[in-house]
Amino acid sequence: MNKALSTTAAAVALTAAATACGSGGGQGGQGGGDDTIVLGFSQVGAESGWRTANTESIKAAADEAGIELKFSDAQQQQENQIQAIRSFIQQDVDVIAFSPVVESGWDTVLAEARTAGIPVVLTDRAVETGQEDVYETFLGSDFVEEGRNAGRYVVEEFADSDEDVNIVELQGTTGSAPAIDRKEGFAEIIGEDDKFEIIASQDGDFTRAGGQEVMQAFLGSHDDIDVLYAHNDDMALGAIESIEAAGLKPGEDIKIVSVDGIKAAFQAMAEGKINQVVECNPLIGPQLMDLVEKVHAGEEVPERVEVEEGVFGQDQAEEELPNRQY
Ligand code: GZL
């Protein structure tokens, strides 16, 4: 029985001692009114149910906090995010926050924000940078642990089998922190037993269409698939369409473990089509606004703020469905 935390109960665990990092508070920003904080936010896109819920949480929390939000949707293109951040710098906002679509390629624009004295808060996904003090804090999930939790399900499910277990993997957007880290965590756990083999692994870009197309290709070249590991629910739901079109039963002929925990995935789990969901909580708007206010005020913030999340099995789906907020 998986112990699960419901989203509403998920607490924010401050995982690092509160240490100031970066310029703290920044000098930039004229503010929306005399004391209204102006926040420039660059969002990855609208590719998944998770992302939609994340955007809604951020907009609602900004409204609740009286923060003037300048919001930009990058349609999953890094150049659009870089343009948006440069625009926020030109507008001299008080704080910039963003969820980087991929890990690399941010050094120049982050240095421009630092030069402008505008503090930056990372949310959801991380960046790879050799620079110091280019962002104040990172608020988001531990994607490696999410991957480990998915791997633990597979190891447990096939504990009594001495046959080979063939796994196909639907990866998230190439180069993105969740795709890199979820792959790493999963491989770490299944790598402990060589009966588990990933026979195919491909980018489905976190979308339902991507999951459907790639799973169709997997099924066309493999007739011995035991498990699908999908880096997010939208790709898993797309893959289910392809599995059923191939005359197979998702959740039975092919076991499915997925990440995010959107309502539709819980519904599929209740129908027996998905076997395990690893939660990735998008409802981080309130914590983000709290950090934005602290950063703007020049207060100390932790370098890393993690969100606690749960793992849910089929036996919990019915009961948990009404609690799902996204
Ligand atoms: C995870 C987030 C991922 C989700 C996907 O924090 O970045 O991006 O898992 C979304 O659904 O597209």
Side-chain angles (χ1 to χ4, degrees), residues 275-287:
N275 302 84
Q276 181 98 344
V277 165
V278 176
E279 189 178 37
C280 177
N281 182 0
L283 308 179
I284 54 179
Q287 287 102 39

Side-chain angles (χ1 to χ4, degrees), residues 44 47-51 76 99 124-125 141 143 146 173 178 182 205-207 231-234 259-260 280-281:
V44 164
E47 73 282 359
S48 65
W50 188 99
R51 187 65 56 196
Q76 290 186 285
S99 169
D124 170 27
R125 298 183 182 179
S141 305
F143 300 134
E146 292 170 349
T173 307
R182 285 173 185 164
D205 210 20
F206 284 130
T207 64
H231 287 189
N232 85 328
D233 296 338
D234 294 72
V259 186
D260 275 351
C280 177
N281 182 0

